[in-house]
Amino acid sequence: MFLKTPLSEIINRETGEMATPDNVYERPLSAMADMYEDAEAVKAALDGGDPVIYKVYEKTVPQLAGELQWCMSVTLPGKIGREYYMTKGHFHEVRNTAEIYLCVRGQGYMLMETEEGETSAVEMRPDTAVYVPAAWAHRSINTGDEPLISFCVYPGDAGHDYGSIETAGFKKRIVEIDGRPTIIDNTVK
Ligand code: PAN
Ligand code: ZN
């Protein structure tokens, strides 16, 4: 499978859709309900129809170290209580694998942390790239009012390890306080 130019023939910058994805999936709130800090706001949103939080369009490649997996990640705009829509977040199963996110639309943050407890939040905005170093868990968070869309590339053998994030969460959260995205400690779990 070969890429061809122009990029606009492959991806739609407005929607994040890929022209010919091999795989498309959506994560509704119900798939990550206990990751948000405000349980009552989660319940209200689920009662209101279980919104889609994000979508991923993927090309599948052999799951080998020498291959490059690529996809479009689209986090929709919105909040659960005061907390912005976000991806589940994960470590790569093979820790020694990095990733590049090239943001093409929207604004937000890449929230990252290591197993040793270091944390970082890097701003995402159109035509900027975030480099997620090997062994850093990563979650994208949409703090704007349009979809946050990125083209992501990572090694074919990386795999996804959601386990520790599902059980312990990230150390930080990004919430709206006084109308502004604010990084706070995660005191819920
Ligand atoms: C991305 C993510 C995508 C969805 O392709 O998989 O943004 O986020 P979650 O996987 O955390 O649900 C990536 O980082 N791949 O490695
Ligand atoms: Zn990743």
Side-chain angles (χ1 to χ4, degrees), residues 54-123:
Y54 61 100
K55 303 178 192 178
V56 178
Y57 301 83
E58 292 182 325
K59 280 290 180 193
T60 47
V61 301
Q63 293 178 7
L64 301 172
E67 300 282 348
L68 289 176
Q69 173 73 56
W70 56 285
C71 68
M72 297 300 298
S73 174
V74 181
T75 308
L76 296 166
K79 282 180 292 172
I80 302 297
R82 63 177 186 165
E83 190 167 16
Y84 298 99
Y85 280 15
M86 59 192 183
T87 58
K88 284 181 76 169
H90 57 269
F91 285 96
H92 290 164
E93 224 166 277
V94 176
R95 291 292 192 268
N96 192 25
T97 55
E99 181 161 355
I100 286 184
Y101 279 65
L102 173 61
C103 180
V104 300
R105 183 178 178 199
Q107 62 183 54
Y109 286 86
M110 182 65 71
L111 185 64
M112 295 179 278
E113 69 181 42
T114 64
E115 286 167 308
E116 290 72 37
E118 284 174 281
T119 64
S120 174
V122 175
E123 221 181 316

